[in-house]
Amino acid sequence: MDNDMILELQDITKSFGETQVLRGISIGIHRGEFITFLGSSGCGKTTTLRIIAGLEEPDSGRVILEGKDVTALAPNKRDVNTVFQSYALFPHMDVEQNIAYSLRLKRVPREEQRRAVAEILEQVQLPGYQKRMPSELSGGQRQRVAIARALVNKPRVLLLDEPLGALDLQLRRQMQVELKRLQKRLGLTFLYITHDQEEALNMSDRIVVMRDGRFQQIGSPAEVYDRPRTAFVARFVGSANILRGTAQAGPGGTMLLAAQGGAVPFLPGERAVAENSPVMVAVRSEQIRFEKDGKNGIPAVVKEKSFTGGMLRIAFAPDSGEEVVASRHGIDLDLHPGERVALSWDPAAAVVVEEDAG
């Protein structure tokens, strides 16, 4: 085993009744890595976390922690801890008692417990909060106490199951920054579960995009966003447009995506794209260009405009194919439903993608 590898999943499968939840997933996770499992509800990400924690047993495959097969070990025999969205703090215990609970079970001397609690509260930026009750804390403070309780045992891997899901948007963004800083300061391995693309892109060293119990893509945030491998990844992470057509030879090393009534150049990149073969490309909404009554590009009609989150969203209906969405900063522009445009993009903005991994 690579000495830098702290955790490995080897061909893990899991079914509940007739439903197969995990379909032979494998990955190696490095020491000190912040890795996020990203996917919608039911994709298998929480089951993956529970198998790592020992709360579920896989039907087949192995969990290797620091070179040791821990697949059959009980949760308390694994050097991992879990933080849940619900916080799961004991309401009748103060902060110090909550954090020290596992230390008491291990019969750690009381003075050592106090030192450990004070030290970890400093780490999560809650010094002096030992005697506060959970009901006296804000949502963000309760989450930090839950994290402190998991960290006080100094686990090799910290598992976080949608830990910010119950917080409002502003606090969630603040906690994203704090969690990432804490992880880097402690040098721990964080395995984070979320369905929120923004969280994954902001916090992770690597992202694992999951769908239907399989890994669709594993890569850095930049790789997953800029070079999605499948149509699903392109749509799920950043909501890219998927355009289908026929590949034709273009000028200067480019190829053309030819759809009915128009063609736009793209770079095939590392993918082998044969001339006159079907091709599918992903283009981010911010990369879509449009020209009123333009002649060069894919003809389309403006469907609607809407303003959200500081961005103007313009939906187009091409003469053939799926809806295409463009986004621009600002609140409005001189473009109206029913007007005809030609859609295009810079050749480097189009990424050739595969059908979804099955």
Side-chain angles (χ1 to χ4, degrees):
M1 176 178 167
D2 183 347
N3 288 333
D4 190 43
M5 200 76 71
I6 193 168
L7 178 68
E8 285 186 274
L9 303 181
Q10 298 179 349
D11 201 25
I12 299 290
T13 66
K14 180 67 178 178
S15 295
F16 294 106
E18 297 296 317
T19 304
Q20 191 171 9
V21 179
L22 297 177
R23 304 168 185 264
I25 59 172
S26 299
I27 190 173
I29 297 170
H30 301 282
R31 297 178 190 278
E33 187 172 24
F34 195 124
I35 190 161
T36 298
F37 284 63
L38 173 67
S40 54
S41 297
C43 72
K45 58 188 187 296
T46 295
T47 300
T48 303
L49 181 143
R50 290 176 62 82
I51 286 173
I52 295 169
L55 302 172
E56 297 282 356
E57 188 172 339
D59 298 333
S60 63
R62 300 197 305 163
V63 180
I64 309 295
L65 181 63
E66 293 193 307
K68 180 182 178 182
D69 188 340
V70 299
T71 312
L73 289 185
N76 63 342
K77 302 296 184 182
R78 306 182 185 204
D79 205 357
V80 301
N81 274 73
T82 307
V83 178
F84 298 100
Q85 178 178 328
S86 62
Y87 314 142
L89 300 179
F90 298 114
H92 61 287
M93 295 183 183
D94 63 26
V95 166
E96 182 174 34
Q97 292 168 329
N98 263 285
I99 295 173
Y101 182 75
S102 61
L103 301 179
R104 289 201 304 277
L105 293 180
K106 294 178 180 177
R107 301 186 183 280
V108 173
R110 188 175 297 275
E111 189 55 39
E112 191 175 332
Q113 290 181 35
R114 290 198 184 100
R115 283 199 302 271
V117 170
E119 180 181 320
I120 202 65
L121 282 174
E122 287 281 352
Q123 294 282 5
V124 299
Q125 299 180 337
L126 289 176
Y129 276 65
Q130 284 90 330
K131 300 308 175 185
R132 299 277 187 97
M133 299 300 290
S135 60
E136 299 174 312
L137 304 176
S138 69
Q141 290 168 340
R142 287 197 295 272
Q143 187 56 275
R144 277 184 264 178
V145 171
I147 292 167
R149 184 175 60 184
L151 291 174
V152 77
N153 290 304
K154 299 181 179 178
R156 293 288 185 263
V157 179
L158 186 65
L159 310 175
L160 302 105
D161 190 3
E162 307 235 25
L164 309 183
L167 306 179
D168 63 56
L169 179 61
Q170 184 174 356
L171 182 55
R172 193 159 72 239
R173 286 176 172 165
Q174 177 186 336
M175 286 297 295
Q176 288 173 18
V177 175
E178 289 188 17
L179 263 181
K180 183 64 176 177
R181 286 176 179 167
L182 178 65
Q183 185 261 340
K184 289 303 181 189
R185 187 162 64 244
L186 297 176
L188 286 177
T189 304
F190 276 26
L191 197 160
Y192 195 93
I193 301 294
T194 187
H195 64 274
D196 187 308
Q197 299 94 326
E198 181 181 296
E199 276 187 7
L201 292 168
N202 283 343
M203 301 170 70
S204 313
D205 297 317
R206 280 193 299 162
I207 298 171
V208 181
V209 184
M210 292 190 70
R211 185 190 188 200
D212 296 335
R214 292 187 174 91
F215 293 162
Q216 293 270 322
Q217 185 169 352
I218 302 172
S220 69
E223 287 169 342
V224 170
Y225 187 86
D226 291 330
R227 296 186 296 281
R229 190 172 70 84
T230 69
F232 172 80
V233 174
R235 286 193 179 104
F236 190 71
V237 183
S239 302
N241 297 286
I242 303 298
L243 298 106
R244 302 169 189 266
T246 302
Q248 297 179 353
T254 67
M255 298 196 79
L256 297 175
L257 174 78
Q260 288 185 4
V264 184
F266 69 93
L267 296 175
E270 299 175 0
R271 304 285 173 85
V273 179
E275 193 173 351
N276 297 320
S277 66
V279 67
M280 181 166 51
V281 301
V283 186
R284 298 289 174 194
S285 62
E286 62 269 24
Q287 300 287 352
I288 295 290
R289 299 193 296 234
F290 43 87
E291 182 182 356
K292 284 187 183 182
D293 299 317
K295 305 301 181 185
N296 297 315
I298 296 173
V301 175
V302 179
K303 284 179 61 179
E304 61 184 16
K305 296 189 298 183
S306 57
F307 181 73
T308 178
M311 299 290 286
L312 182 66
R313 177 186 185 275
I314 312 103
F316 300 94
D319 290 354
S320 64
E322 302 179 38
E323 177 182 272
V324 174
V325 173
S327 59
R328 295 289 182 274
H329 287 288
I331 195 167
D332 204 357
L333 52 75
D334 184 23
L335 200 65
H336 306 283
E339 289 187 300
R340 293 196 64 80
V341 299
L343 303 176
S344 62
W345 53 82
D346 186 276
V351 179
V352 178
V353 294
E354 304 168 4
E355 293 290 351
D356 300 337

